Amino acid sequence: MRVETLNGDGKKKISELINSSLNLPYNTIRKILRNKDIKVSGKRVSQDIVVSANEEIVMYFQDFQ
């Protein structure tokens, strides 16, 4: 299990932020979202939303590498 923490910048969707920071494939990001393994400011999300500045994004996922 891998846990990553990122901060939003107010301009990007979750998938774009994760892809630019961690370089994960888009399908993996969608799977993480479907499983609700992403929390934005302490709340689980299942949609690719735009995150506001200073919102904390915490992801829980299996490291496949």
Side-chain angles (χ1 to χ4, degrees), residues 10-55:
K11 299 176 185 174
K12 293 183 181 178
K13 289 188 173 188
I14 292 175
S15 61
E16 295 170 356
L17 187 64
I18 293 170
N19 191 13
S20 65
S21 299
L22 303 176
N23 200 21
L24 290 176
Y26 185 73
N27 287 336
T28 302
I29 296 168
R30 293 298 303 160
K31 183 177 180 180
I32 294 169
L33 281 168
R34 274 195 315 271
N35 293 336
K36 293 186 179 181
D37 290 336
I38 295 178
K39 288 185 180 181
V40 176
S41 297
K43 295 182 181 181
R44 291 190 181 270
V45 295
S46 62
Q47 295 179 347
D48 196 7
I49 61 172
V50 175
V51 290
S52 301
N54 300 324
E55 282 190 313

